[in-house]
Amino acid sequence: MLVGGTATGIGSWPGTDPREAAATIIGELPVLPHLVELPERGIGADMIGRVSALLVDLLFDSTTRGYRLAPRPTGVSRRARDLMHADLDAIEEAWETAGLVGSGQVVKIQSAGPLTLAAEVELPGGHRILTDSGAVRDLSESLAEGLARHAAEIRKRLGAEVIIQLDEPQLNTVLDGSLRGPSILNTIRALPEPEALHILDTVIAAQSAPILLHTCASRPPLATLGRTAAAAISFDASTITTAGLDALGEIIDSGKKVALGLTPSEPPVAPITWRDVAEPAVRLIDRLGFPRSTLATQILVTPACGLAAAPLPWARKALALTTDVARAFVEDPEWSPE
């Protein structure tokens, strides 16, 4: 279901109207649309709070610092579920309008991954979940079950195949131990890579859908990402440095798909064309020594990051450019920027 030469979005979108957003995404991303995230709606709609609608037997409440586990249902958990139901109703309506019900069309859903959740969400006492290995295990198991149920509901509602994107923006800080506790006296140890991989792969293995593992970190830990059981890796192409080339080459050589964030998520100073957007990917593949046909067989194209902060006209333009680039990679993989 993860096919090279495909355009998709990261997940977030500007505005607060789920029906308008769903119709736009399905129209602009005909090959791989996604369930839209609208964080402008506030608590329970952002990347972390939204997961409260997915977890099984775990609930969130809000704090001045973000979210923490709650012993009983809260307004936050109810709001997250209400917003998720509204989003599902909206995509189902747009799916029917587009005549896609039962077509076998693929759709992508997104969720914060277990490590980012463990880093961001607090225990009732104020410490991060990451400081308690038992709580991390419970969280991972709850997320794994909740994601499987979520994907099953999407399949039932839309008659669609599902791809799951796990967002891990905090993966670097978890691995290098740079997370801060509630005070300077509370340190949080670096999580050894084998433990991190086990946690990620536990969630991945519980899904019947292929997993796209995404990070928007400025230094994506490509070697670690490549060692997971994910079918594809997603990151901002502009973050790749010389030091990361070997790891990226190994990922591609292993057969994993790579979703390159190429289209700016904010309006550029000067107008750009699809050729401007495509050029870094072409040069990257050349530098790695792979044939340019790799662009059509293993590379998906996305915006650099989520589009929630973008002006709506640019968000639409960004998806159009992303689609044009993916189409060019398929129709003329030997295309040259020169």
Side-chain angles (χ1 to χ4, degrees):
M1 289 186 283
L2 279 161
V3 180
T6 297
T8 191
I10 297 300
S12 66
W13 189 253
T16 59
D17 185 340
R19 283 181 165 78
E20 179 182 356
T24 299
I25 293 299
I26 290 171
E28 295 289 347
L29 297 171
V31 179
L32 186 54
H34 58 85
L35 183 64
V36 185
E37 301 171 357
L38 300 172
E40 282 185 34
R41 294 177 296 183
I43 291 176
D46 59 286
M47 182 182 68
I48 302 299
R50 187 176 177 82
V51 180
S52 185
L54 304 179
L55 296 176
V56 176
D57 298 328
L58 289 179
L59 301 164
F60 289 176
D61 199 0
S62 60
T63 74
T64 55
R65 292 185 295 270
Y67 296 95
R68 69 173 49 172
L69 293 179
R72 61 185 62 85
T74 66
V76 170
S77 58
R78 286 189 290 270
R79 175 173 169 77
R81 292 183 186 278
D82 287 346
L83 290 171
M84 182 66 77
H85 287 152
D87 293 344
L88 293 175
D89 289 344
I91 194 172
E92 184 176 12
E93 180 181 302
W95 211 254
E96 291 176 353
T97 300
L100 296 174
V101 176
S103 66
Q105 168 77 30
V106 182
V107 66
K108 180 168 69 71
I109 59 178
Q110 303 83 219
S111 169
L115 296 175
T116 290
L117 287 174
E120 293 278 2
V121 181
E122 298 176 354
L123 296 163
H127 295 279
R128 297 177 192 264
I129 291 176
L130 193 64
T131 61
D132 185 325
S133 59
V136 173
R137 182 182 61 251
D138 292 344
L139 176 68
S140 301
E141 292 174 353
S142 175
L143 177 63
E145 184 177 350
L147 277 173
R149 292 183 182 184
H150 185 44
E153 182 175 3
I154 290 282
R155 291 189 190 99
K156 182 178 179 181
R157 279 179 176 247
L158 307 184
E161 297 297 332
V162 176
I163 292 168
I164 298 174
Q165 175 180 308
L166 288 179
D167 292 315
E168 286 287 5
Q170 289 282 20
L171 181 55
N172 272 340
T173 55
V174 168
L175 292 172
D176 65 21
S178 59
L179 283 169
R180 295 182 179 180
S183 75
I184 60 173
L185 298 178
N186 298 114
T187 58
I188 299 175
R189 72 180 180 100
L191 191 69
E193 186 188 68
E195 290 185 37
L197 290 173
H198 176 72
I199 292 167
L200 286 168
D201 285 348
T202 295
V203 176
I204 292 170
Q207 311 309 314
S208 59
I211 302 297
L212 173 66
L213 189 56
H214 170 73
T215 179
C216 58
S218 59
R219 294 177 294 105
L222 293 179
T224 301
L225 293 171
R227 294 187 186 104
T228 69
I233 307 302
S234 171
F235 54 90
D236 179 352
S238 70
T239 62
I240 295 302
T241 63
T242 301
L245 291 177
D246 286 345
L248 179 56
E250 290 176 5
I251 289 172
I252 295 174
D253 206 37
S254 74
K256 290 182 186 288
K257 300 296 192 298
V258 174
L260 285 179
L262 293 170
T263 312
S265 53
E266 295 286 344
V269 175
I272 59 174
T273 68
W274 69 264
R275 292 176 180 271
D276 299 317
V277 174
E279 182 174 348
V282 177
R283 296 195 182 282
L284 180 60
I285 290 298
D286 286 350
R287 190 175 181 187
L288 290 170
F290 291 101
R292 287 188 179 171
S293 58
T294 304
L295 295 167
T297 58
Q298 281 184 255
I299 304 301
L300 289 80
V301 185
T302 74
C305 200
L307 294 168
L312 184 57
W314 174 252
R316 292 177 181 272
K317 177 67 173 177
L319 292 190
L321 287 169
T322 301
T323 300
D324 287 345
V325 171
R327 183 183 300 117
F329 287 169
V330 172
E331 293 178 353
D332 186 13
E334 297 301 321
W335 168 81
S336 173
E338 285 83 10

